[in-house]
């Protein structure tokens, strides 16, 4: 444990000004470090394949982590809440952070080959929805997520937090050709179900998504799935809704569907 | 339509400093007006039993509402986005607000007598979770919600917004004696199911909640339902979760359960 008392100390540069968008690799100057906030999420980061660079927190929280993490061979920087707030750029309720480098991307074909239940996302641009989908996928037993066109970066800080760190545990892969890459799923024996309120789609209860290998396509709320994605699926499935309809939030619709897929 | 150009104009006092907690009736000085934000939610407020006092918005949004609302017999104040932001206390993305007085509370016995599927909440203190539960209840066909001990005010601005205005449409009532008032449900032929991960609880899939009159008890994430609430129920039901468990968000667990109750 290394005490940090100088706000300008370069050893905590990885943790500086976190609310600025330039932490994102998709923005100019962005470095794309993976950032975990709070004891539970930091523990998940330490247990993940992501190479952790350092911890930074108030003494009590860092000590908590050092006790539970047997092989913590990274620097742990300790500071007062005030110094932390000045480095990070905002007051941190959760008292501890960790940063990691990205791990090599997972090949879609490898993830598909070892999975039975998958979600495939199209156009999920909202980081909180993306994080919530990973949390729900973890809780309800999905084997992984495939990210199609128009999805945000699930490793962005806000997604990591809303996912409760499950984005660091549930495998995901990016599909490049969209929706052409869905063919890989079919070649591997998956039934592809598009979740859509479109007329003629089958009720979720009757679709038997608990049987066999299934990949469910989920689109963002608002526009929903594109026609191309729906046409590339084997069947269209809907969650029946009452009267005057608002679509459900995409992560909520996902949770209902993942539960139906689980068969338990 | 009345043009407002003076930030101090007393005619828009109902809309002043909305982010201050004193809008809440449970706080000293709180007035507890019902506040709707955005065209869709304001439309739901206009169609609700709540007596609307006034609208306030930028011209384009107010005109949109005046066109769709045939009998709009309340003052509609129009201002620039800058004047609005100064009155309200923050910049308003949605461009229009409405305020209403509260309607008389619904009697639990009346709501129970006319319902078949209900949710009963205990300790749901988070306004966003509360709002999301109303949205999910509306989408998935519940007849209403009963609020037990420790719940927040569902008519607080943030709940109204997250519910997409459905808190203004889905009936709710407060239970005073907790959990004693659950007896009224049983007297009306309801089966009472407590949602809890507790050992020995039945899988949601096997509990047959789609049959007959059912009330599901939901507790806040974290502590969950109290033992008293679980003991007062007829059966305990769980959503099976995989491996290393985080409980689902209460609104998400609610959505999965409401879907199972709907039977469609």
């Amino acid at each position: 444990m290394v005490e940090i008392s100088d706000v300008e100390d370069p050893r905590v540069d990885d943790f500086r000004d976190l609310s600025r968008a330039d932490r994102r690799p998709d923005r100019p100057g962005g470095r794309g470090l993976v950032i975990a906030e709070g004891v539970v999420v930091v523990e998940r980061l330490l247990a993940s394949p992501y190479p952790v660079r350092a911890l930074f927190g108030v003494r009590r929280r860092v000590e908590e982590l050092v006790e539970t993490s047997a092989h913590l061979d990274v620097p742990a920087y300790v500071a007062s809440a005030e110094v932390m707030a000045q480095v990070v750029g905002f007051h941190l309720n959760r008292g501890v952070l960790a940063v990691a480098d990205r791990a090599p991307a997972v090949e879609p074909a490898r993830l598909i080959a070892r999975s039975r239940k998958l979600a495939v996302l199209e156009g999920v641009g909202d980081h909180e929805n993306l994080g919530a989908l990973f949390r729900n996928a973890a809780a309800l037993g999905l084997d992984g997520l495939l990210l199609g066109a128009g999805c945000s970066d699930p490793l962005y800080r806000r997604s990591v937090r809303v996912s409760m760190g499950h984005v660091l545990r549930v495998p995901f892969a990016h599909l490049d050709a969209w929706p052409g890459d869905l063919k890989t799923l079919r070649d591997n024996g998956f039934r592809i179900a598009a979740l859509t309120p479109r007329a003629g789609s089958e009720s979720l209860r009757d679709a038997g998504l608990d049987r066999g290998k299934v990949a469910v396509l989920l689109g963002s709320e608002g526009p929903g799935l594109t026609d191309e994605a729906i046409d590339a699926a084997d069947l269209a499935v809907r969650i029946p809704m009452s009267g005057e309809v608002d679509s459900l939030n995409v992560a909520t619709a996902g949770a209902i569907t993942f539960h139906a897929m689980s068969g338990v």
Side-chain angles (χ1 to χ4, degrees), chain A:
Chain A
M1 278 197 248
V2 181
E3 196 83 39
I4 301 287
S5 53
D6 176 6
V7 170
E8 301 300 327
D9 195 317
R11 289 174 294 182
V12 291
D13 276 354
D14 279 352
F15 301 93
R16 209 171 286 288
D17 293 334
L18 290 188
S19 57
R20 285 175 48 198
D22 68 2
R23 309 306 296 186
R24 294 170 57 176
D26 51 337
R27 299 282 172 86
R31 298 169 60 197
L33 294 175
V34 180
I35 295 160
E37 301 166 84
V39 169
V40 170
V41 180
V42 170
E43 281 174 346
R44 294 216 166 100
L45 181 63
L46 291 168
S48 79
Y50 297 90
V52 178
R53 295 160 65 99
L55 309 190
F56 183 32
V58 297
R59 178 167 295 275
R60 193 158 64 94
R61 295 284 170 248
V62 173
E63 280 174 352
E64 223 176 296
L65 280 161
V66 169
E67 272 168 33
T68 57
S69 310
H71 306 291
L72 192 65
D73 54 357
V74 297
Y77 300 113
V78 172
S80 67
E82 293 68 37
V83 168
M84 269 198 84
Q86 285 183 59
V87 172
V88 172
F90 52 87
H91 178 74
L92 208 80
N93 285 321
R94 294 177 182 75
V96 66
L97 295 167
V99 294
D101 289 311
R102 298 202 166 214
V106 175
E107 281 291 320
R110 284 179 66 100
L111 175 53
I112 290 168
R114 65 174 194 237
S115 298
R116 291 182 57 80
K117 304 288 183 186
L118 292 167
V120 188
L121 311 184
E122 184 190 43
V124 179
D126 180 279
H127 285 111
E128 297 197 9
N129 284 342
L130 203 51
L133 280 162
F134 274 86
R135 179 182 178 186
N136 296 343
L140 297 163
L142 256 66
D143 299 308
L145 289 95
L146 296 169
L147 307 182
C151 293
S152 290
D153 174 13
L155 293 175
Y156 182 58
R157 185 168 59 93
R158 197 139 46 97
S159 294
V160 174
R161 185 179 62 220
V162 174
S163 82
M164 310 279 281
H166 288 296
V167 70
L168 308 169
R169 287 184 58 238
V170 178
F172 67 90
H174 294 272
L175 297 181
D176 292 324
W178 183 258
D181 274 350
L182 294 176
K183 190 176 168 301
T184 316
L185 285 164
R186 200 170 287 110
D187 293 345
N188 278 266
F190 276 81
R191 255 191 319 155
I192 304 173
L195 191 70
T196 168
R198 186 188 270 198
S201 50
E202 202 170 342
S203 169
L204 177 61
R205 188 179 297 266
D206 302 328
L209 300 191
D210 55 329
R211 295 191 304 273
K213 292 187 183 182
V214 173
V216 62
L217 305 190
L218 301 170
S220 68
E221 44 189 319
L225 290 168
T226 59
D227 288 345
E228 293 70 32
I230 297 174
D231 291 346
D234 298 306
L235 72 164
V237 172
R238 77 193 147 80
I239 298 171
M241 297 203 213
S242 69
E244 186 192 328
V245 178
D246 264 319
S247 66
L248 290 163
N249 167 285
V250 62
T252 306
I256 294 171
T257 310
F258 303 161
H259 177 255
M261 290 162 76
S262 75
V264 289

